[in-house]
Amino acid sequence: HLLVKSTDSDEPEVTVQLLGEGVNLPPCSFDVVPATLSFGVVERGRVSSRAFEIRNTGVSDCLVTSARLVPGSDPEFSLPDGDVLSLRIAPQSSATFRVTYAPQSARANTGNVEFSISSPTSPFNQVALQGTGADAVLLITPNDLDFGTIGIDSTARARTVTMYNTGATAAVIDAIALA
């Protein structure tokens, strides 16, 4: 039990029951995929969701004993499934952690998810979060133009690139050039 004593006139002593389970696990081996969650450009007021995995690559259980947003991370990031207090990952299995990004202004946002795991070589870890809120968002398709093999002094057939403004405000195209 945890005993809290205070000058509270209503309850000068409060007892809190403590619960927990001790386990003796051998060291675990794991990978984090991806190590950084990049949300790219997201229109202000919309929500984008990404996930990372902790993959147990070893032969014994991995015990994740905490997974949460690092204090100081921009509030646009959240863990929709809540903080993780204790989670076992079986050998050759994985656990998925979802993160959402909901930009409220047109600016860059950063944060980190931190977790501790039963690995003596890397017990404390972080996954970096990054995203940019924007008012106007252009979607350009396709991402690549493949002209194939073209003979010298020959002309390739024309290719089309389409741009969509998926945002709520007008987008201004300042220039289009070959780079």
Side-chain angles (χ1 to χ4, degrees):
H1 293 283
L2 176 68
L3 178 62
V4 179
K5 294 182 178 184
S6 71
T7 59
D8 183 343
S9 60
D10 183 40
E11 291 183 273
E13 289 188 8
V14 175
T15 302
V16 178
Q17 185 177 355
L18 302 176
L19 301 172
E21 175 188 1
V23 292
N24 186 15
L25 293 174
C28 83
S29 299
F30 68 97
D31 289 326
V32 179
V33 180
T36 298
L37 282 184
S38 180
F39 289 84
V41 178
V42 177
E43 184 180 0
R44 194 168 48 97
R46 293 201 181 194
V47 177
S48 180
S49 183
R50 299 273 189 276
F52 68 92
E53 284 185 346
I54 300 175
R55 295 179 179 167
N56 182 343
T57 59
V59 295
S60 60
D61 284 356
C62 285
L63 179 63
V64 177
T65 54
S66 172
R68 66 185 185 119
L69 283 170
V70 172
S73 294
D74 286 331
E76 284 81 357
F77 297 105
S78 66
L79 296 172
D81 301 321
D83 293 355
V84 173
L85 300 178
S86 180
L87 173 69
R88 277 192 187 199
I89 305 172
Q92 305 305 311
S93 296
S94 64
T96 301
F97 298 83
R98 291 186 319 126
V99 180
T100 57
Y101 174 55
Q104 299 304 306
S105 61
R107 68 178 188 92
N109 299 109
T110 59
N112 289 286
V113 174
E114 67 179 1
F115 66 92
S116 54
I117 193 165
S118 55
S119 167
T121 58
S122 185
F124 306 106
N125 301 269
Q126 291 192 359
V127 174
L129 310 173
Q130 56 193 29
T132 302
D135 289 323
V137 180
L138 289 180
L139 171 64
I140 301 171
T141 183
N143 289 331
D144 299 308
L145 291 179
D146 184 358
F147 288 93
T149 304
I150 303 167
I152 297 175
D153 294 327
S154 299
T155 303
R157 68 180 173 88
R159 300 289 193 268
T160 301
V161 174
T162 306
M163 290 184 252
Y164 302 94
N165 180 356
T166 62
T169 61
V172 176
I173 299 171
D174 294 323
I176 296 176
L178 293 175

